[in-house]
Amino acid sequence: MDARVVVAKALAADKFAAWCVELPPGCLVALEACGGAHHWARKLRGYGLDARLIAGHFVTPYRMAGKGRKNGAADAAAICEAATRPHMRFVPVKPPAQTLLASHQLRKPPDSLTQLIPACLGTTV
């Protein structure tokens, strides 16, 4: 695998999509798995790119410890490093229907006032 940095600058979402269209087909694009990453992976695969998702706990060991605070550039470098590892395990990309089910659960209002604060904090009671 020819792993190299193509560009090192921040792009807005709409400019990122336009930039990805210009990439050669089959180019590997690695993303850290999160709620929106499945949408982006499906979109990038539609452009003919090899979009892969990496679970956050597999990316964490590649963050440069002691090199400053956690930020987007450090995260991007860690994702690139993790994606080049030969035995990296990737997260399967969820289909739109499964993503919709997950977002339905996220938008469900709390049943009681006791559940309101943990729901805002993203924890469970």
Side-chain angles (χ1 to χ4, degrees):
M1 178 187 321
D2 178 26
R4 61 187 174 87
V5 176
V6 177
V7 67
K9 67 177 183 175
L11 295 170
D14 56 337
K15 291 184 181 183
F16 174 69
W19 179 79
C20 286
V21 172
E22 304 290 324
L23 293 173
C27 184
L28 172 64
V29 179
L31 305 163
E32 187 171 354
C34 68
H38 294 276
H39 165 76
W40 277 105
R42 287 191 303 272
K43 192 170 192 168
L44 295 173
R45 286 182 175 178
Y47 298 155
L49 302 173
D50 181 13
R52 298 184 190 179
L53 303 179
I54 305 173
H57 63 276
F58 291 136
V59 174
T60 302
Y62 299 102
R63 287 197 179 98
M64 302 290 278
K67 296 286 184 183
R69 306 180 85 172
K70 182 179 180 309
N71 58 42
D75 287 348
I79 293 165
C80 288
E81 183 65 31
T84 62
R85 299 300 178 183
H87 300 294
M88 181 54 60
R89 291 179 287 172
F90 296 98
V91 175
V93 179
K94 292 180 184 177
Q98 191 174 0
T99 306
L100 181 63
L101 287 174
S103 65
H104 173 69
Q105 286 296 331
L106 289 174
R107 294 188 180 128
K108 180 182 164 197
D111 294 329
S112 69
L113 188 58
T114 308
Q115 295 176 339
L116 184 61
I117 292 175
C120 293
L121 298 175
T123 59
T124 57
V125 178

